[in-house]
């Protein structure tokens, strides 16, 4: 199943950070398993209509975090990372995405809601 | 004579081609645009338009090359014409890939798909190009080894000496090889650009078809250049061989002429061979286009 990626240019978060966060999230959630080859920088930049440097910086950050490794002639590969997100959480996130998408909520609003809930003491 | 003839031929072919090409462009893009995803329809319109321009560029190369004959000579320009036409068409296709519609809007979605050249290159066209390239190398090697001088073939018997030209010796083969390499490099660059161009995330199957169609168009023009170059060499070289060779050896020339004629017919038919096409039915949306 293809893994999606969406950037919102209205967001306060810069585009490279959005790419880094989403790809990193997919790797940590296990939806991008170890050994998966990521698209080359130029191709992903074209796909998102952003500058090559934007994607290159996101990949550099991911490499610094130890989530991916870049090898010459091979490309950028996902490292062996133990998923920190269980299937139960993944399902809950999928449900949340489906509901908020149906409601037409922008990404920032959804993130604000999640941040608000998480920061609320139990 | 050659200069005037090739200019007339180029213009004669170019005008009806442009009329037919522009008509086909509007017919093909208008008919399906209504049932097709908007992003896919835009990409397809771009590809069809660039394909028409590539054909026009190839035909426009004929009068442009003819204009070089006073400086380079007819015997230098004519053998290079197929590969120059091929390189011109591939060059236009390359520009088309570089100007492929990019995502616009404030929210942009895509899928993470690592794609390589194999996603662009149709295997059948690759095999055809490799086969034709090998044939060209064999023809070049045979011509260079059997030519008496750079551009003629000679047979000496006890009583007579037969000499005939033009013959694809080193004088023809080296520039042809260079021009074919240029066409090959341009084709390779175009395929690389097609690999890295923007994905149509709203219809991944349609995107795969359009990407393969891009590769098919490039390799079709490359195959055309290879086939027409080999056909020209075999036809001229075979005729010269037949004229110069003593009885008993002239069958080699006749065989080359027959093979050259078959290749020339194949080269004329090649531009009409279809590349990958989109399905008639609209495809389901795979990623929400926001």
């Amino acid at each position: 199943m293809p893994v999606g990626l969406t950037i919102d240019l209205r967001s306060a978060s810069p585009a490279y950070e959005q790419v880094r966060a989403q790809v990193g999230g997919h790797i940590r959630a296990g939806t991008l398993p170890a050994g998966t080859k990521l698209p080359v920088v130029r191709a992903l930049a074209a796909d998102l209509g952003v500058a090559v440097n934007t994607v290159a910086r996101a990949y550099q950050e991911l490499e610094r975090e130890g989530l991916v490794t870049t090898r010459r002639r091979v490309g950028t590969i996902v490292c062996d990372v133990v998923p920190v997100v269980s299937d139960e959480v993944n399902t809950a996130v999928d449900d949340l995405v489906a509901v908020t998408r149906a409601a037409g909520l922008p990404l920032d609003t959804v993130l604000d809601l999640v941040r608000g809930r998480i920061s609320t003491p139990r | 004579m050659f200069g005037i003839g090739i200019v007339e031929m180029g213009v004669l072919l170019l005008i009806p081609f442009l009329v037919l090409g522009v008509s086909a462009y509007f017919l093909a893009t208008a008919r399906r645009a209504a049932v097709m995803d908007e992003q896919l329809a835009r990409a397809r319109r771009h590809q069809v338009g660039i394909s028409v321009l590539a054909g026009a560029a190839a035909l426009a190369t004929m009068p442009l090359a003819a204009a070089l004959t006073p400086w380079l000579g007819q015997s230098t320009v004519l053998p290079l014409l197929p590969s120059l036409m091929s390189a011109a068409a591939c060059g236009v296709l390359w520009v088309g890939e570089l100007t492929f519609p990019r995502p616009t809007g404030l929210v942009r979605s895509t899928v993470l798909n690592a794609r390589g050249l194999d996603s662009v290159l149709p295997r059948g066209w690759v095999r055809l190009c490799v086969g034709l390239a090998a044939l060209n190398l064999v023809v070049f090697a045979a011509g260079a080894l059997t030519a008496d001088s750079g551009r003629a073939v000679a047979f000496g018997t006890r009583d007579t000496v037969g000499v005939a030209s033009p013959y694809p010796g080193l004088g023809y083969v080296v520039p042809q090889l260079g021009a074919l390499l240029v066409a090959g490099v341009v084709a390779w660059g175009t395929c690389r650009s097609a690999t890295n161009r923007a994905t149509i995330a709203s219809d991944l199957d349609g995107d795969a078809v359009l990407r393969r169609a891009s590769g098919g168009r490039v390799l079709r023009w490359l195959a055309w250049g290879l086939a027409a170059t080999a056909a020209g060499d075999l036809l001229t070289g075979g005729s010269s061989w037949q004229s110069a060779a003593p009885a008993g050896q002239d069958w080699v020339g006749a065989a080359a002429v027959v093979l050259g004629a078959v290749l020339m017919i194949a080269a004329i038919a090649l531009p009409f061979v279809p590349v990958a096409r989109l399905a008639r039915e609209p495809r389901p949306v795979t990623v929400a286009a926001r």
Side-chain angles (χ1 to χ4, degrees):
Chain A
M1 188 182 161
V3 175
L5 190 65
T6 298
I7 60 164
D8 186 346
L9 299 181
R10 295 165 304 190
S11 169
S13 176
Y16 87 87
E17 174 56 26
Q18 293 180 50
V19 174
R20 185 207 63 77
Q22 288 179 54
V23 175
H26 284 308
I27 294 170
R28 289 196 179 93
T31 43
L32 279 175
T36 304
K37 196 176 167 189
L38 296 183
V40 295
V41 170
R42 195 170 293 277
L44 186 55
D47 287 353
L48 293 170
V50 296
V52 172
N53 285 345
T54 303
V55 178
R57 184 165 177 192
Y59 278 15
Q60 280 168 6
E61 299 279 334
L62 288 166
E63 197 162 3
R64 207 167 292 149
E65 291 176 47
L67 296 176
V68 301
T69 181
T70 303
R71 295 178 207 148
R72 280 196 173 194
R73 297 200 168 274
V74 178
T76 305
I77 310 281
V78 174
C79 293
D80 198 1
V81 179
V82 179
V84 294
V85 181
S86 65
D87 290 345
E88 192 183 3
V89 175
N90 266 328
T91 308
V93 171
D94 286 343
D95 292 343
L96 176 69
V97 169
V99 171
T100 52
R101 194 173 273 175
L105 290 179
L107 179 64
D108 281 347
T109 309
V110 179
L111 291 177
D112 289 345
L113 283 171
V114 173
R115 282 197 192 101
R117 290 292 192 286
I118 287 175
S119 59
T120 305
R122 286 188 181 181
Chain B
M1 280 297 287
F2 160 70
I4 294 167
I6 208 78
V7 169
E8 285 171 345
M9 193 190 294
V11 173
L12 277 174
L13 289 171
L14 189 59
I15 291 169
F17 174 82
L18 279 176
V19 171
L20 284 173
V22 171
S23 310
Y25 169 77
F26 282 112
L27 277 175
T29 54
R31 194 176 54 186
R32 289 205 199 143
V35 292
M36 202 182 277
D37 168 73
E38 188 194 339
Q39 216 183 345
L40 189 67
R42 195 157 54 112
R44 185 169 169 274
R45 209 162 39 236
H46 177 82
Q47 277 202 334
V48 174
I50 288 294
S51 184
V52 171
L53 284 179
L59 291 174
T61 306
M62 294 169 82
L64 288 176
L68 296 174
T69 51
W71 294 279
L72 297 176
Q74 172 186 327
S75 59
T76 304
V77 173
L78 191 58
L80 301 180
L81 195 55
S83 36
L84 291 178
M85 289 170 72
S86 172
C90 289
V92 171
L93 292 174
W94 197 352
V95 172
E97 293 304 331
L98 294 174
T99 56
F100 196 81
R102 285 168 71 93
T104 53
L106 293 170
V107 181
R108 300 167 188 180
S109 294
T110 187
V111 288
L112 290 172
N113 63 334
R115 45 192 188 266
L117 273 175
D118 56 327
S119 66
V120 170
L121 300 175
R123 284 185 189 167
W125 284 107
V126 172
R127 282 197 205 103
L128 181 66
C129 285
V130 169
L132 287 170
L135 176 67
N136 269 284
L137 287 178
V138 169
V139 171
F140 288 169
L145 290 172
T146 54
D148 179 50
S149 64
R151 298 181 171 205
V153 63
F155 288 91
T157 61
R158 201 177 296 170
D159 305 319
T160 58
V161 175
V163 181
S165 68
Y167 189 80
L170 282 176
Y172 288 116
V173 161
V174 172
Q176 278 186 326
L177 192 60
L180 280 178
L181 280 175
V182 169
V185 167
V186 175
W188 183 80
T190 313
C191 290
R192 291 283 303 182
S193 294
T195 308
N196 290 336
R197 71 162 160 74
T199 300
I200 301 159
S202 53
D203 188 340
L204 291 178
D205 292 332
D207 176 72
V209 173
L210 287 190
R211 216 176 280 277
R212 207 158 276 274
S214 293
R217 286 192 184 97
V218 175
L219 294 184
R220 188 169 59 183
W221 274 112
L222 185 63
W224 185 88
L226 289 163
T229 300
D233 283 355
L234 286 167
L235 285 170
T236 52
S239 301
S240 296
W241 182 288
Q242 274 184 301
S243 305
Q249 290 184 41
D250 54 349
W251 66 269
V252 178
V257 168
V258 170
L259 182 58
V262 170
L263 267 177
M264 189 56 84
I265 292 166
I268 291 167
L270 264 178
F272 302 100
V273 177
V275 292
R277 284 181 177 173
L278 289 170
R280 289 194 175 275
E281 293 300 315
R283 293 168 186 278
V285 172
T286 44
V287 170
R290 290 191 276 172

